[in-house]
Amino acid sequence: MSQQRFSNKVVIVTGAAQGIGRGVALRVAREGGKVVMADFSEYVEDVLKEVIDAGGEAITVRTDLEQFEGAEKVVHAALEKYGRVDVLLNIVGGAIWMKPFQEFKPEEVEKEIRRSLFPTLWCCHAVLPSMIAQQSGAIVNVSSVATRGINRIPYSAAKGGVNGLTASLAFEHAHDGIRVNAVATGGTEAPPRKVPRNSAPMSEQDKTWMQEVVDQTVDRTFLKRYGTIDEQVNVITFLASDEASYITGSVVPVGGGDLG
């Protein structure tokens, strides 16, 4: 890829250890960005090695982004190393359980919200002062077309919160030169997770509920298939780049026709 859309830009990528986050981090590094890769998992160090071996530049920050202090740690590391943050890409999130809403325990509902809303909320909050000071910045949040979906209501609520955050933050800080958009991802094919969101073995009932989600996801797409990681990365990095300089406050569905 000859494009260098992130040349000399400092880009925070959360959830960089695997899946879409890893794909985004590798793409940004390949396009000249200085990548600050944040993740709770040690596997983010493997991605750092991939970046360095390919001639890119990156650092890692191991932290818990469900806590505001974790988000502050990432932004502080970026500012300490590079002096600025040009782009924030919030990838962390993902449903932990797939089951009808009435089957969720109260503590499970809270865990879903903490995982799929708070990392984005906290990272946006932590990065704003530096972006306001420099009067520029781009933020891309990862949402989901599952805001209209079955068997994951708490996750749907969290991603609805991401959509609301995206629109309102874009409105509030356009005068500061900050663009804020979201990508509502559809079902995405990915390798097995190195760190599972839910390590408990699945019962036969769990498998049935999961299959209902898969069937609904495919049925709602015009293309009748899951997307690829690259198909999500393409849109996330476009919105983060200067090519999207007149796009803000938008939630772009990347779900094969499923608009969420």
Side-chain angles (χ1 to χ4, degrees), residues 33-110:
K34 298 176 173 65
V35 192
V36 179
M37 302 189 300
D39 207 290
F40 190 72
S41 168
E42 64 187 14
Y43 293 112
V44 73
E45 306 301 335
D46 296 336
V47 185
L48 175 64
K49 186 176 186 303
E50 289 184 78
V51 170
I52 300 303
D53 287 351
E57 183 173 353
I59 61 172
T60 60
V61 184
R62 300 268 303 282
T63 189
D64 180 5
L65 293 174
E66 293 179 12
Q67 311 300 323
F68 178 63
E69 293 77 13
E72 276 192 314
K73 181 180 177 180
V74 176
V75 174
H76 177 76
L79 295 175
E80 188 174 61
K81 175 70 174 179
Y82 298 117
R84 61 187 291 117
V85 178
D86 298 295
V87 180
L88 167 64
L89 304 179
N90 286 308
I91 318 296
V92 168
I96 305 170
W97 292 278
M98 303 283 191
K99 55 187 177 182
F101 189 39
Q102 69 273 14
E103 300 292 334
F104 278 83
K105 300 172 184 175
E107 60 270 23
E108 292 174 341
V109 172
E110 292 184 3

Side-chain angles (χ1 to χ4, degrees), residues 85-89 131 136-140 177-181 239-241:
V85 178
D86 298 295
V87 180
L88 167 64
L89 304 179
M131 286 188 173
S136 66
I139 299 172
V140 181
I178 302 169
R179 293 187 304 107
V180 189
N181 293 290
L239 288 173
S241 76

Side-chain angles (χ1 to χ4, degrees), residues 100-221:
F101 189 39
Q102 69 273 14
E103 300 292 334
F104 278 83
K105 300 172 184 175
E107 60 270 23
E108 292 174 341
V109 172
E110 292 184 3
K111 285 181 180 179
E112 294 279 12
I113 300 298
R114 282 201 301 273
R115 177 170 182 84
S116 289
L117 174 58
F118 274 98
T120 297
L121 195 70
W122 291 142
C123 285
C124 286
H125 190 279
V127 84
L128 272 177
S130 62
M131 286 188 173
I132 291 169
Q134 68 199 27
Q135 289 289 283
S136 66
I139 299 172
V140 181
N141 301 322
V142 168
S143 177
S144 174
V145 298
T147 47
R148 290 180 180 237
I150 61 169
N151 294 354
R152 52 213 152 140
I153 297 295
Y155 172 72
S156 300
K159 290 305 189 180
V162 169
N163 291 349
L165 164 67
T166 298
S168 296
L169 198 61
F171 198 7
E172 190 167 291
H173 288 286
H175 69 280
D176 291 312
I178 302 169
R179 293 187 304 107
V180 189
N181 293 290
V183 170
T185 60
T188 304
E189 294 284 359
R193 291 183 60 83
K194 296 177 181 178
V195 180
R197 297 188 183 112
N198 182 2
S199 58
M202 295 181 69
S203 68
E204 289 306 310
Q205 180 62 79
D206 291 333
K207 293 176 182 178
T208 298
W209 286 330
M210 172 68 81
Q211 189 60 48
E212 288 175 355
V213 170
V214 172
D215 293 344
Q216 182 240 301
T217 299
V218 174
D219 183 63
R220 281 177 58 92
T221 69

Side-chain angles (χ1 to χ4, degrees), residues 14-38:
T14 74
Q18 55 189 328
I20 294 172
R22 171 183 172 274
V24 168
L26 294 175
R27 178 76 63 85
V28 169
R30 211 159 55 231
E31 294 193 27
K34 298 176 173 65
V35 192
V36 179
M37 302 189 300

